[in-house]
Amino acid sequence: ALKEAGDAWLDGEVVVLGEHDLPDFQALQNAFDANRPKDILYYLFDAPFLNGEDLREQPLEARRAALKAVMEGNRSAALRYSEDFVAPPDAIIESACALKLEGVIGKRVGSPYVSRRTPDWIKLKCKQRQEFVIIGFTAPKGSRSGFGSLLLGVHEGDQDQLRYAGRVG
């Protein structure tokens, strides 16, 4: 499909397009469950390794330019290049939310590629929610059996540390 990519490590997101050609998470799960890989598309947005060359220290725009050049020879309908949006961030997220998308990924121009979350790589979500890590539980009280409450933590800073966030019954 991408003959010019050679040995490569490509970063992107798999999706199945649903109504109005928008990503549909349930359709993606259904494609996996029904073993229908032909329905799955891979939107590529970064190339940490391309043609056997380590590009992780190159700025984002250089990696994306190299990826775009390789994608010009793409003959696979399943591989898509994820285009840049040149607009104020507020307008981009507002448009994504109006389309009922989960959100958008933002990468800082000039940033190197790292394999963890950093301030240079963010998710801007349409629905505000918080992910918690279960870090323990309390003993059951009253009519409860098994356990009482779940103790929750949240990732803080560079995601390597947890901060206690409370308990939930």
Side-chain angles (χ1 to χ4, degrees), residues 128-147:
Q128 296 300 314
R129 64 185 192 116
Q130 177 65 53
E131 293 182 7
F132 295 94
V133 177
I134 299 172
I135 57 176
F137 59 92
T138 63
K141 292 180 183 175
S143 64
R144 290 191 181 197
S145 61
F147 62 88

Side-chain angles (χ1 to χ4, degrees), residues 72-152:
E72 288 173 1
N74 175 36
R75 293 191 308 265
S76 170
L79 298 176
R80 311 276 174 97
Y81 178 76
S82 182
E83 295 288 344
D84 292 327
F85 292 99
V86 182
D90 291 346
I92 293 172
I93 192 71
E94 187 176 310
S95 294
C97 296
L99 290 169
K100 302 215 180 333
L101 297 176
E102 180 182 342
V104 296
I105 300 291
K107 289 191 172 188
R108 185 181 312 275
V109 172
S111 62
Y113 188 93
V114 293
S115 300
R116 66 186 190 292
R117 293 277 177 90
T118 71
D120 291 336
W121 188 98
I122 58 173
K123 278 188 176 181
L124 302 169
K125 295 184 178 188
C126 291
K127 293 181 181 175
Q128 296 300 314
R129 64 185 192 116
Q130 177 65 53
E131 293 182 7
F132 295 94
V133 177
I134 299 172
I135 57 176
F137 59 92
T138 63
K141 292 180 183 175
S143 64
R144 290 191 181 197
S145 61
F147 62 88
S149 297
L150 296 176
L151 304 177
L152 305 177

Side-chain angles (χ1 to χ4, degrees), residues 9-11 45-48 55-60 63 107 111-116 121:
W9 172 21
L10 305 174
D11 194 356
F45 50 73
D46 209 337
L55 302 177
R56 290 177 293 176
E57 293 301 318
Q58 296 292 318
L60 172 65
R63 295 190 313 272
K107 289 191 172 188
S111 62
Y113 188 93
V114 293
S115 300
R116 66 186 190 292
W121 188 98

